[in-house]
């Protein structure tokens, strides 16, 4: 599972880009706005990706793990 792919961003994305991508995807897939059967699971993945990539220490560990 690639968190960058989930948020539809490049690996070198800035914090602002990460935050904007999260907000856009959350708006699209939040179960309150999207009644599809996959929305809840997609939202969980989006939230997990954002949690890691928005934290500098976790992002560094994640990036090293990807290598």
């Amino acid at each position: 599972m690639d968190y960058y792919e989930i948020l539809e961003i490049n690996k070198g994305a800035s914090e602002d880009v990460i935050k904007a991508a999260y907000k856009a995807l959350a708006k699209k897939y939040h179960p309150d706005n999207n009644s599809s059967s996959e929305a809840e699971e997609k939202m969980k993945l989006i939230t997990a990706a954002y949690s890691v990539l928005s934290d500098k220490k976790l992002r560094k560990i994640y990036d090293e793990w990807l290598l």
Side-chain angles (χ1 to χ4, degrees), residues 29-57:
Y29 289 104
H30 193 281
D32 289 346
N33 301 327
N34 187 330
S35 60
S36 74
S37 60
E38 65 185 29
E40 186 176 345
E41 186 61 33
K42 182 76 172 173
M43 193 62 214
K44 287 178 184 178
L45 291 173
I46 292 165
T47 301
Y50 179 72
S51 295
V52 170
L53 298 181
S54 65
D55 181 300
K56 289 181 183 182
K57 289 179 184 177

Side-chain angles (χ1 to χ4, degrees), residues 2-66:
D2 185 338
Y3 286 157
Y4 293 101
E5 188 175 307
I6 291 168
L7 292 182
E8 301 172 5
I9 58 175
N10 294 323
K11 187 175 180 184
S14 69
E15 292 178 30
D16 290 337
V17 170
I18 293 168
K19 188 174 187 175
Y22 170 75
K23 285 183 175 186
L25 291 169
K27 185 176 182 181
K28 181 177 179 180
Y29 289 104
H30 193 281
D32 289 346
N33 301 327
N34 187 330
S35 60
S36 74
S37 60
E38 65 185 29
E40 186 176 345
E41 186 61 33
K42 182 76 172 173
M43 193 62 214
K44 287 178 184 178
L45 291 173
I46 292 165
T47 301
Y50 179 72
S51 295
V52 170
L53 298 181
S54 65
D55 181 300
K56 289 181 183 182
K57 289 179 184 177
L58 291 177
R59 183 177 181 182
K60 183 178 181 192
I61 293 167
Y62 177 75
D63 286 346
E64 289 172 357
W65 175 79
L66 280 179

